[in-house]
Structure formats: C-alpha cells, structure tokens
Amino acid sequence: MLTEKVPVGVMSSVVAPEKPTSNTMGPKEVELILVKEQNGVQFTSTTLAAPNQNQANPSGEEERETWGKKIDFLLSVIGFAVDLANVWRFPYLCYKNGGGAFLVPYLFFMVIAGMPLFYMELALGQYNREGAAGVWKICPIFKGVGFTVILISLYVGFYYNVIISWALFYLFSSFTSELPWVHCNNTWNSPNCSDWADNSLASDIYKTTPAHEYFERAVLHIQDSNGIDDLGRPRWQLTSCLAVVIVLLYFSLWKGVKTSGKVVWITATMPYVVLTVLLLRGVTLPGAIDGIKAYLSVDFLKLCDAKVWIEAATQICFSLGVGFGVLIAFSSYNKFGNNCYRDAIITSSINSLTSFFSGFVVFSFLGYMSYKHKVDLDKVAIDGAGLVFVIYPEAIATLPGSSVWAVIFFIMLLTLGIDSAMGGMESVITGLIDEFKFLHKHRELFTLFIVVATFLISLFCVTNGGMYVFTLLDHFAAGTSILFGVLIEAIGIAWFYGVDRFSDDIEEMIGQRPGRYWRLCWKFVSPCLLLMINDEGLLTQTDCRLTCRFQSGPVLQQIWNLVYDSTSSQDA
C-alpha cells in the first residue's frame, strides 16, 4: 500500500512494488491503486491483478499454457491409454493364456514396470515443462531418444488414422435398413462367400463369410491389387473418411490443450457409455454366459509357460502408452505442484480395469456367435482388426435393430481411436515446438502442416494395395523400437541423471519423495524387464500392436508371410 499521495489529474493508476516472497516462480500478482480527485479531495481504491498467463516473462519467453481443469488432463491421459487395443487385444490374450490366471502376470508386471514407467514419464514432463525432446536438457547426451519417440509417434499416425477411417466408413455404411455385410449377393462377393448358417462349410478354409469379404473386398478392395508393387490409386471412399478424421484431429489440436482438453470430455467418456450398453445387451444373448466363463476360466498351468509372462509384460508396456512421448507432452502442461504420483496411480489403474471390463463385452458376443453357429469358441475368438471389423459386425448383424447397434458400436471405435490419435499427434507437435521455439507463435500453421503431411502419407494405405503398406508400417513402426526407446529412457533417468536427483525433483513438485520401492523399480527392475523383452525379439511371434493379421483368408495371410519372410531373412 502506498502511503504518499500521488499528484494526478482526473484519474490515474499506480502499480505498487511487489512484496518480496521466497521461492516464487512465474508471474506475480500486483497491487493496483486507483486515485481519483474530485473537488480537491482524493479517493483511493486498491485491487489485486494477476498478469496474463500468455504474456512474456522477463527472459522473453511466453509463459507455458496449462490445462483448464485437472479433469481435462486426466481424461486426456485416459483417452490416449485406452485405445482400440484394449478392446481387441487384451481380452483375447486373457482367454488364450489361462483366463483369469493371466491376470497374475499382468498385474505383477503392471506393479513392477507399468506404473513405475508411467509415473516416471509424468514426473519427467511436469518438472521440465518440455516435450519429449526438450526434457533431455537434464542429460543432453540422451536427446536423441526424445527425437526417436517423436518420430515413432509420427509414423504410427500414418497408419493409425487409417484404422479410424475404416471405423468411420463402417459407421456411414450402418445407416441402412439392412447392413451390407449380411448376405453374399453383393457385387463385391466372390464365389467362396458362404453364410455361417451352412455349418458344413463353416470349417472349409476356402470359404469366407459375408462380413469377412465386406472388409477385404468392399472396404479394402485388396482383390484389385497384385501386391505391394501394384498399389493403385487411393480409393475415394476411404480417402474421404481419412480426410474427415484429419479435419477432426486438426480442430481438436490447433489451439493446444485449450481445445483438446474439451474434446476428450466426449471422446474419453463415450466408450465407457457404449461398452456398458453393449454389455447389458450382450449378457441377454444366448450363449453369452458360456463366453464369459471361457474368458474367466482359470488355468494356472499356463503360468508355467514363459511365453505367457512375456506376453503379459509386453501388453502392459504397449497398453499404458509409455515411450510414445505422449505422457511427457501432456504432463508438461500441468501446474508445477500437481500431484503426478496420484495421477499415475489413477490413470494406469483405470486403463487396466477398462481392458478387463471390455473382455466381458467382447466374450458375451463371442459366446453368442459360438452358440448361434454351433461351433467352438476357438473358431470365432480372434484378436486384432478381425475382431472389430469382421466378427463383431457379424454378431451385431444378427440382432434385432442391427443398424442401431452397429452405429453405436462404430461410434465407440471412432472415439476410442480419435483421442489416442490426438495424443500421438500432440506428442509430435509439442515435442517440436518446444525444441524450436519460433514455432510457438505459429502453432496453428505448424499443426496444419503436421496433419496435412500425415494425410498425404496415409494415402498410400487407402489404395487397393494399401493393406500391404499398412501391414509393413504396423509391423515395424511401434514394436521393438518403442521398447528399446523406453529402455534407453529408463537408463538415462536412473543411471545418468540419477535416481536420487530425479527423486529430489519430484519432492520439489509434490512435497513428497518417492519411496524406496519406486526408486528400485526405476533403477533395476524396470530396465531389466525391458531388456528381457527386447532380447526375446517377441514382437515377431506375439503381435502386441495394433495389427491387421487375421487367422484366415489367403490374401491377408500372404501379407503376413511377406513381412515374416523379410524379418527372417534379416535375422539370418
């Protein structure tokens, strides 16, 4: 408060000197004193004014924006981590690897590796307030790891957006009185098309279902390509769907967390609503209980197989989304004192619970399919895109009001994919604009450049032979490279920057030092586990990514053989 009078005219304002405080960072509140003179008498009033968060600080740099609400951050992280693989991968792994017994290695690795790595990335981004590359100012020799994960996130987007465009294509196709994958009398069907109702042909490897042919021949048009050297032109239907996806991504990201934090209120919550609705419908179907029993059946003998433990460890790493730079980018927009420890526990737990919950939805419908067609559950229980684009649409087509259920299901797939794609693209954008500061003032244009470049390269995946390109990208984009990147990241933090120093950083933020358990996991347990997974080279045998490998169909099997043969020759 100023004690002396200020000579003014009609009205003036004075900024009081800031009261000294200790350990303060960032913008300060200032005291404004308004002095008004009327008839020779001065009247004063005081107000506290906070500076604009976007104004420049003394160093000349703009203050970093933060999430509008804490829930925006939590929904963004949950939306990124809970993606299509939670629906089409985890339930199948659980069923194949001992049912409920698979939860033992899954939860074990989540506690000793998943949560510690998740916590590490959130704390790393929040303390340094930079993207995946900028955070390595703490240990510049590892900066290449930051650019590596940015690059991986970039070219994962080249094919992940294509999956979303498939879901959008199916969504548009569902607005009909009769779903187009019900019968074999369409122009795209081959002589091998056969309805499941003919049980004598159900086991014939040369016969395919209408739903299978709809995906391969009506959506992908892979029959019009002779191989990867015969791609053809982009198909306008899928190109249009891909363009819609790109537009949605741009307007979700162009203003940063101000816009993306609002979009996730829909994209992150809608899947839970739809999954619940589908579960309530699924459990009423005949055979659903048998499917759920098969999903939960406990076979502890499976735990004697080392492959089961390896698949559980790999699933945890990919399911939580560590190593893509997304968690670092999202947490960098947190307030400095945010409790990232609590956030890590909450979001990683919700992700795993969602995977488990989705299994009930999936296997209620698979049990119904097994009952309806009088075949073993093994005949219909597959993973990957074949589950959500072939088996599930086929099951929905047999329900009353099938078009409505199809619309609901593909809206869920669309929202599951969009927020995960938003996370991957935010990792690229934040990582690069934090590294090249001049891009901060041109975020909208730079975001447009990234999404347009992604769209142009993704066009190779929507050609007649685009499935060949898609499979190659899927196989090599985010497999061993991500696991190796996380391994180097863990080593850089634990052994070069130092666990003790990293713990001091966390204590400075949340006022609580990580316990001995977390420090041991960061320094020894998690790196050893990641080293073991990388050494196994298991991504060739156990496909733990977003994959489009099918259990039947000679055309797509040929694609897989192409990839597998190339990998085998490299190993040799």
Side-chain angles (χ1 to χ4, degrees), residues 72-222:
D72 295 349
F73 165 70
L74 293 176
L75 288 177
S76 296
V77 174
I78 292 170
F80 165 70
V82 178
D83 67 348
L84 296 168
N86 290 74
V87 175
W88 77 30
R89 182 61 186 169
F90 175 83
Y92 175 77
L93 279 179
C94 195
Y95 165 73
K96 186 181 72 170
N97 293 311
F102 181 71
L103 296 178
V104 174
Y106 181 82
L107 294 176
F108 174 73
F109 286 122
M110 184 179 75
V111 171
I112 69 168
M115 282 186 175
L117 292 172
F118 200 90
Y119 181 19
M120 181 185 74
E121 290 205 347
L122 290 185
L124 183 64
Q126 182 172 307
Y127 184 82
N128 294 284
R129 302 180 70 78
E130 297 271 358
V135 293
W136 290 107
K137 61 188 178 184
I138 63 175
C139 192
I141 194 174
F142 286 90
K143 199 162 196 174
V145 179
F147 285 112
T148 298
V149 299
I150 291 174
L151 181 61
I152 292 173
S153 292
L154 181 63
Y155 60 68
V156 164
F158 296 157
Y159 70 91
Y160 194 88
N161 294 334
V162 175
I163 301 175
I164 307 174
S165 70
W166 295 344
L168 190 61
F169 184 94
Y170 270 83
L171 177 63
F172 291 148
S173 301
S174 300
F175 289 99
T176 58
S177 57
E178 184 179 65
L179 296 174
W181 54 83
V182 174
H183 300 296
C184 291
N185 56 356
N186 302 288
T187 56
W188 58 78
N189 290 126
S190 71
N192 291 330
C193 182
S194 175
D195 197 314
W196 272 90
D198 188 354
N199 291 320
S200 63
L201 298 176
S203 61
D204 192 335
I205 62 173
Y206 297 105
K207 297 296 181 180
T208 57
T209 64
H212 192 106
E213 289 209 344
Y214 179 78
F215 181 61
E216 283 192 2
R217 302 174 66 86
V219 179
L220 303 180
H221 279 264
I222 200 168

Side-chain angles (χ1 to χ4, degrees), residues 2-9 12-14 33 35-37 42 44:
L2 292 178
T3 56
E4 60 181 358
K5 296 181 180 179
V6 182
V8 293
S12 65
S13 64
V14 180
I33 301 180
V35 183
K36 183 178 180 181
E37 183 174 343
Q42 289 185 342
T44 63

Side-chain angles (χ1 to χ4, degrees), residues 218-231:
V219 179
L220 303 180
H221 279 264
I222 200 168
Q223 74 278 6
D224 296 328
S225 173
N226 295 320
I228 198 170
D229 57 340
D230 180 28
L231 296 180

